[in-house]
Amino acid sequence: MNHWIELFIEQIKETTWPQWLAVALGVTEVLLARINNIWLYPAGILGTAISIYLLMDVHLYAESVLNGYYIVMSVYGWIYWIKKRNEPPVKITYSTKNEWIISLAISIVGWVVFYFMIKNLPAKYFTPSNVPGWDALVSSTAWAGMWLLARRKMENWIFLNISNFFAVPLLFYKKLPMFAMLTIFLFIVAIWGYFEWKKQVEAERLVVGD
């Protein structure tokens, strides 16, 4: 146990200021989202851009692509917020059988595609990854979770937390301890989000029942 504590402390000491800044911006984004503040988008975009640089540096290519998608969606969300902020949100619902099939397909096919790309492309253009399967798993399940989140489906939290669960040890292994701690924080937030959404779904059912 002492060995792991010493290793963690050593990794914290070696943490660079860009990683601290990216994590600080990530926490800021979550807190701003909690109070529904539009400044969550610029905070998230800047933090994610820094994260891409750091993830590429440790050869986590699938996660880098995933974060590039986060930037695209953040820009889209920012524009959508400005145009549609006064309209009612899409209702939260459970996934249908077809949505479950699509989510699993995104996870499985996404894993295969990411794994193939990481195993074959970096060797020509970048330093090869030593964790292609793990990297691909974290990203493919997150893609499925984000697809469900966009559709306001309860199960998005499940897929996102599968991604978070495997991302934590991967980030520690790649000596990105603050990113790992941020992911643990997001894991907890996702659990909280699941039960908050569940309350809303049950409340909606009671209203419909009445």
Side-chain angles (χ1 to χ4, degrees), residues 58-65 110-140 170 174:
V58 296
H59 318 139
L60 291 179
Y61 301 114
E63 285 211 56
S64 299
V65 173
W111 183 88
V112 172
V113 171
F114 276 128
Y115 181 81
F116 175 81
M117 292 177 62
I118 296 168
K119 286 289 288 184
N120 293 279
L121 296 182
K124 297 180 181 179
Y125 306 104
F126 306 105
T127 303
S129 170
N130 63 338
V131 286
W134 207 336
D135 190 11
L137 176 63
V138 170
S139 297
S140 62
L170 179 61
K174 286 296 185 176

Side-chain angles (χ1 to χ4, degrees), residues 35-158:
I35 61 174
N36 218 29
N37 189 301
I38 196 172
W39 284 98
L40 74 95
Y41 291 109
I45 291 169
L46 180 57
T48 305
I50 297 171
S51 297
I52 292 173
Y53 165 77
L54 295 170
L55 291 168
M56 288 291 291
D57 190 52
V58 296
H59 318 139
L60 291 179
Y61 301 114
E63 285 211 56
S64 299
V65 173
L66 177 65
N67 276 268
Y69 178 72
Y70 285 156
I71 289 181
V72 173
M73 292 306 294
S74 292
V75 172
Y76 169 78
W78 197 351
I79 295 171
Y80 185 83
W81 181 307
I82 294 172
K83 291 183 177 180
K84 307 288 186 178
R85 63 183 305 168
N86 294 322
E87 295 184 8
V90 177
K91 290 183 179 180
I92 300 167
T93 57
Y94 285 93
S95 297
T96 64
K97 181 180 178 180
N98 284 340
E99 286 168 334
W100 264 108
I101 292 173
I102 293 172
S103 302
L104 292 172
I106 291 172
S107 298
I108 296 170
V109 175
W111 183 88
V112 172
V113 171
F114 276 128
Y115 181 81
F116 175 81
M117 292 177 62
I118 296 168
K119 286 289 288 184
N120 293 279
L121 296 182
K124 297 180 181 179
Y125 306 104
F126 306 105
T127 303
S129 170
N130 63 338
V131 286
W134 207 336
D135 190 11
L137 176 63
V138 170
S139 297
S140 62
T141 49
W143 278 83
M146 289 187 296
W147 181 77
L148 289 168
L149 177 60
R151 300 174 71 86
R152 301 280 285 177
K153 298 297 179 178
M154 281 286 299
E155 293 77 9
N156 89 87
W157 302 112
I158 297 173

